Amino acid sequence: MSVDGSDDAGPDLRLVGFAVAAWLAALAGLHLSVRATAGLAAVAAGLALAAGLRLRRDRAAPIRRYGWLALAVLLGVLCGAAATGARLAVRDAAPIRALVTERALVTADLVVRDDPRRVRGSPGRPAPLLVRVDLVRLTGPDGSQVTGPVRGLVLATDPGWQGLLPGQRVTTRGRLAEPRGGDLTAAVLSATGAPTRHGAPSWAQRAAGTLRAGLQRACEPLPDAPGGLLPGLVVGDTSRLLPEVEEDFRATGMTHLNAVSGSNVAIIVGAVLLLARWGRAGPRTAVGLCGLALVGFVVLVRPSPSVVRAAAMGAIGLAALAAGRSRAALPALAAAVAGLVLLDPALAGDPGFALSVCATGGLLLLAPGWRDALRRRGVPPGLAEALAVPAAAQLACGPVIAGLSATVSLVAVPANLLVVPAVAPATVLGVLAAVLSPVWPAGAEFLAWLASWPARWLVAVASHGAALPAGNVPWVGGVAGALLLAAVSVALLLAVRRRRARRLVVVVVVAVVLGAVPIRLLASGWPPRDWVVVACAVGQGDAVVLPVAAGRAVVVDAGPEPSGVDGCLRRLRVREVPLLVVSHFHADHVGGVAGVFRGRRVGAVVGPQWSEPPYGVAQVREAAHRGGARLDPVPAGWRWRAGVVELAAIGPPYPLRGSRSDPNNNSLVLTATVAGVRILLAGDAETEEQRALVETVPPTTIRADVLKVAHHGSAYQDPEFLAAVRPAVALVCVGVDNDYGHPNPGLMGRLTRGGARVMRTDTDGDVAAIRVGGGLAVVARGVERGRSR
């Protein structure tokens, strides 16, 4: 059907226009006020009325053809803005805003919306749980009550929140805070204790919890990497997923496999459809069985909004491929998008929703044509399908990924092609293991073991893909980057339709691959020659590298996450770490410790004698154990030497207790001599430890050419300590736009006036001090777009 309603070869674009307009209007409304959103709806209503009147008067075919499309767009804007405005009016209701503005301590009755998830904690604090909830009733400090429901987030550290299931009603106390905006969240509640539970969750949630726990038990005997991946691949449970595996999947564009998506639904329902056809079931029976499988799978992975979205997208894609009618499926996709957005406008700003829609659109519009083209060129049908589907989905999702990450992956398409044969067996066997676990645990373990082999292949592909240099290239971020890549993709799709243009595109792509990528690899100028120390840009945290020999280096601290330090070591071409030193156990120094071990042999791990906080100690000890090393505490006076590196621990001279931060003030303070250059690594030592060093250590011991400034350049620095060091180069490891006010402007001025060249990882990226003749120089690699903050 064409846009004017006549039958022809074109798809009906009116629903597409309506859906896209509703989506964009809802997205805009999430960032506007209630009044502005209502104004947008009113303008769209007026223009839609005018367009409708024009269509009634004018019978010209071109005007009617494009007029219907324009009317559909205006109606989409009207509906999207109206639906979002209604939700915003509830979110921004005056009684709730008053409590949030006052940061009131309230008693909240709430309903859990999704599984509690761990989020990265602030340095020195346990990682809190994030729980999405509906706030049903808030009781203020004066006894006044505000009824909802409105959406909220709960931040909690009490372990009593860990076992909650979606749909469960609880009561808790906490303090309200402002949300970040851009969605329908009305308030953030920092819970002060454990929740009080009221009744049990629904039977569906209890059944899902039983099956998910059974799958986890079945995966316990498996190795950590595939055993942690399999529950995420099957039911979206990433609680045991290793950080290094998660980072590898992100680097290779395979993150969608870690969460429930439309592809999971298509695999499960597709398997049931094949069994039904093999059993010669009639069409109605096959449809009924597929419907039961779809409902059962939604129950298994829990019917959260993201799962319902995935079920809708996967069902549409499967129906389109099974029927071979992509033109009929496009209006169905548009209707699903419009219905989901109008039902829950918050989906308009959800990256997962955008990726699901784009992937399904690529599956419908691009994959069939590419599959048929490959078959016409002699490619076997199964292989043609396996090549066309992931390539189409990746091309369609590329602009969204580029806008979010400010990078374009060169390994995503080949990596996804390589894992296609393994995804379906792992998913189907994992689902069978979960279903079987309550009645036959041994059989479930056997099925999980079978499923672990395709899961091992996924881990191997992700690991090798992430290890490739220049696997991701910088791109423009944000909306501009997404639109730019979309325009490039559309231009390439149009160009390859003509033979001459197709040849030109091939030549250009080959030139880029054979020219630009090797230049990026071999002529990047990094690492610089004669470098003696590198401060890695790892966000708000520390990671310092000292070269021992070609491919070997000492690492001091590991930053807040594995990808940061791993990427820095890859850029420095470090393949072996004879010594990993942990200055202290706060998350911004040990959160990325798994990244040091990723693909490298680590000879030894040492840390301070002050073993707090306990979760940081446990994280380092576990990573060391998995890497075949052990964590040993070392005191002041400890020495180590290898190659051109000499290390000595000069602090803390004695345990400090009762200070502003005891873990910080018991940091290992190291002096390092690398090829004759003296370096002082101060950890997070604050005023108390610095003063203790000045009072107990000879001044010549503290004197250094290069200072790694303590505690990200905080204000807690002792002037006498800085005067004793008198560095020529000061390196500040600090994150972009951090919430701590680091580095302190007064400290930066003091260092500069003292004659130091101050370099910061938030503005300069990776920073190296190098030997030049008889002196020192600094080289900055520069800040990459999309770097973790």
Side-chain angles (χ1 to χ4, degrees):
M1 178 180 287
S2 68
V3 292
D4 60 355
S6 60
D7 292 333
D8 57 24
D12 188 342
L13 297 180
R14 288 175 297 182
L15 275 178
V16 174
F18 177 85
V20 172
W23 187 356
L24 295 179
L27 179 60
L30 293 175
H31 297 275
L32 298 175
S33 64
V34 177
R35 182 173 298 179
T37 306
L40 178 62
V43 170
L47 293 176
L49 180 60
L53 294 175
R54 176 68 183 273
L55 284 173
R56 290 191 62 183
R57 291 196 310 268
D58 203 320
R59 299 291 181 177
I63 292 179
R64 292 186 63 81
R65 179 178 297 114
Y66 295 106
W68 281 114
L69 186 56
L71 179 61
V73 169
L74 292 171
L75 290 175
V77 173
L78 170 62
C79 294
T84 308
R87 297 297 186 92
L88 293 178
V90 176
R91 183 196 71 180
D92 297 336
I96 295 174
R97 300 309 305 161
L99 291 174
V100 172
T101 302
E102 295 171 5
R103 298 180 62 86
L105 183 64
V106 300
T107 300
D109 297 323
L110 52 89
V111 178
V112 178
R113 288 175 50 86
D114 206 349
D115 295 294
R117 300 180 186 277
R118 288 280 178 193
V119 296
R120 188 180 303 135
S122 299
R125 300 178 183 175
L129 285 165
L130 178 70
V131 190
R132 300 184 184 277
V133 300
D134 283 330
L135 301 171
V136 178
R137 183 170 58 247
L138 299 174
T139 303
D142 59 354
S144 61
Q145 292 188 344
V146 178
T147 57
V150 294
R151 294 189 183 180
L153 293 175
V154 174
L155 288 175
T157 56
D158 192 284
W161 290 87
Q162 182 67 60
L164 294 180
L165 297 176
Q168 200 154 11
R169 299 180 67 93
V170 301
T171 299
T172 189
R173 284 181 59 80
R175 191 170 297 277
L176 295 176
E178 289 274 358
R180 65 178 183 179
D183 56 22
L184 296 179
T185 302
V188 177
L189 180 70
S190 296
T192 57
T196 302
R197 308 187 185 196
H198 303 293
S202 66
W203 69 268
Q205 300 292 356
R206 293 198 303 272
T210 300
L211 296 178
R212 291 161 69 95
L215 178 60
Q216 283 284 10
R217 287 193 299 271
C219 293
E220 285 179 358
L222 302 176
D224 289 342
L229 172 63
L230 195 58
L233 180 69
V234 175
V235 296
D237 183 358
T238 58
S239 58
R240 285 183 54 208
L241 185 65
L242 295 181
E244 52 266 37
V245 175
E246 184 177 8
E247 293 296 334
D248 287 344
F249 271 54
R250 182 178 295 114
T252 51
M254 295 164 54
T255 306
H256 60 93
L257 298 177
N258 293 340
V260 177
S261 65
S263 61
N264 298 74
V265 177
I267 288 170
I268 298 302
V269 180
V272 174
L273 182 62
L274 288 176
L275 288 175
R277 289 180 175 176
W278 179 74
R280 298 189 178 184
R284 293 184 178 180
T285 303
V287 169
L289 291 174
C290 290
L292 290 175
L294 181 60
V295 172
F297 185 69
V298 169
V299 170
L300 171 64
V301 299
R302 295 192 176 147
S304 63
S306 60
V307 173
V308 174
R309 176 200 72 212
M313 296 298 115
I316 291 170
L318 179 68
L321 287 180
R325 299 180 61 191
S326 60
R327 290 199 303 269
L330 188 61
L333 173 62
V337 169
L340 289 170
V341 167
L342 297 181
L343 184 65
D344 184 6
L347 288 175
D350 182 3
F353 178 74
L355 290 172
S356 290
V357 174
C358 290
T360 308
L363 191 71
L364 299 178
L365 297 177
L366 301 177
W370 291 2
R371 174 199 60 201
D372 295 341
L374 290 172
R375 292 182 64 179
R376 287 194 298 269
R377 287 164 175 77
V379 179
L383 181 58
E385 190 86 39
L387 293 172
V389 169
Q394 188 62 40
L395 181 67
C397 293
V400 177
I401 297 173
L404 293 172
S405 65
T407 60
V408 174
S409 176
L410 301 181
V411 300
V413 171
N416 279 278
L417 289 175
L418 287 172
V419 301
V420 164
V423 174
T427 302
V428 173
L429 289 170
V431 169
L432 292 176
V435 173
L436 199 60
S437 61
V439 294
W440 189 18
E445 288 188 9
F446 175 71
L447 290 175
W449 176 80
L450 290 178
S452 73
W453 291 102
R456 291 171 203 251
W457 173 247
L458 298 178
V459 172
V461 171
S463 176
H464 287 83
L468 292 175
N472 292 279
V473 296
W475 191 260
V476 181
V479 176
L483 293 177
L484 177 61
L485 186 58
V488 171
S489 302
V490 171
L492 289 175
L493 288 174
L494 294 177
V496 296
R497 291 176 176 270
R498 300 179 180 274
R499 180 172 298 178
R500 293 183 179 178
R502 188 184 307 133
R503 293 176 180 175
L504 178 62
V505 169
V506 172
V507 171
V508 170
V509 171
V510 171
V512 169
V513 173
L514 297 182
V517 171
I519 288 174
R520 177 175 170 82
L521 294 178
L522 302 178
S524 64
W526 195 264
R529 294 183 59 183
D530 299 324
W531 63 283
V532 294
V533 59
V534 166
C536 298
V538 292
Q540 183 66 9
D542 272 19
V544 177
V545 186
L546 307 170
V548 173
R552 303 177 69 228
V554 172
V555 178
V556 180
D557 290 325
E561 59 180 356
S563 61
V565 66
D566 178 47
C568 181
L569 294 176
R570 290 181 193 275
R571 293 189 290 271
L572 295 171
R573 301 167 193 160
V574 174
R575 299 181 300 275
E576 182 180 347
V577 178
L579 178 68
L580 168 62
V581 182
V582 176
S583 67
H584 65 297
F585 297 103
H586 276 165
D588 56 339
H589 292 250
V590 305
V593 66
V596 179
F597 286 85
R598 187 176 299 166
R600 301 175 189 89
R601 191 180 74 83
V602 178
V605 183
V606 299
Q609 294 180 312
W610 187 273
S611 56
E612 290 184 7
Y615 68 87
V617 180
Q619 186 173 7
V620 176
R621 185 173 288 119
E622 181 183 357
H625 177 72
R626 288 203 305 263
R630 69 178 187 179
L631 172 63
D632 291 320
V634 295
W638 167 84
R639 293 182 177 274
W640 184 90
R641 180 174 182 175
V644 298
V645 177
E646 295 182 23
L647 282 178
I650 64 172
Y654 50 82
L656 287 99
R657 291 180 169 84
S659 65
R660 201 188 73 88
S661 172
D662 287 350
N664 283 348
N665 281 308
N666 286 277
S667 294
L668 278 179
V669 177
L670 304 173
T671 61
T673 303
V674 181
V677 177
R678 191 166 174 80
I679 304 162
L680 182 64
L681 305 173
D684 272 4
E686 296 183 350
T687 308
E688 294 89 342
E689 185 176 2
Q690 293 178 12
R691 187 174 297 122
L693 287 168
V694 171
E695 293 172 351
T696 58
V697 175
T700 54
T701 303
I702 302 176
R703 176 76 178 92
D705 303 304
V706 180
L707 169 65
K708 197 292 296 181
V709 179
H711 201 185
H712 322 297
S714 78
Y716 301 102
Q717 312 281 339
D718 183 62
E720 293 184 19
F721 175 80
L722 296 176
V725 180
R726 287 187 294 122
V729 174
L731 306 178
V732 184
C733 297
V734 62
V736 179
D737 297 336
N738 65 86
D739 299 327
Y740 306 97
H742 298 162
N744 178 262
L747 173 66
M748 297 296 97
R750 180 187 294 272
L751 290 168
T752 301
R753 289 191 299 271
R757 174 72 184 277
V758 180
M759 304 294 288
R760 301 165 41 171
T761 58
D762 60 339
T763 57
D764 301 313
D766 295 345
V767 180
I770 63 174
R771 289 184 295 109
V772 179
L776 279 177
V778 290
V779 176
R781 185 174 179 270
V783 178
E784 291 184 4
R785 297 294 301 260
R787 187 187 302 279
S788 173
R789 298 186 179 187

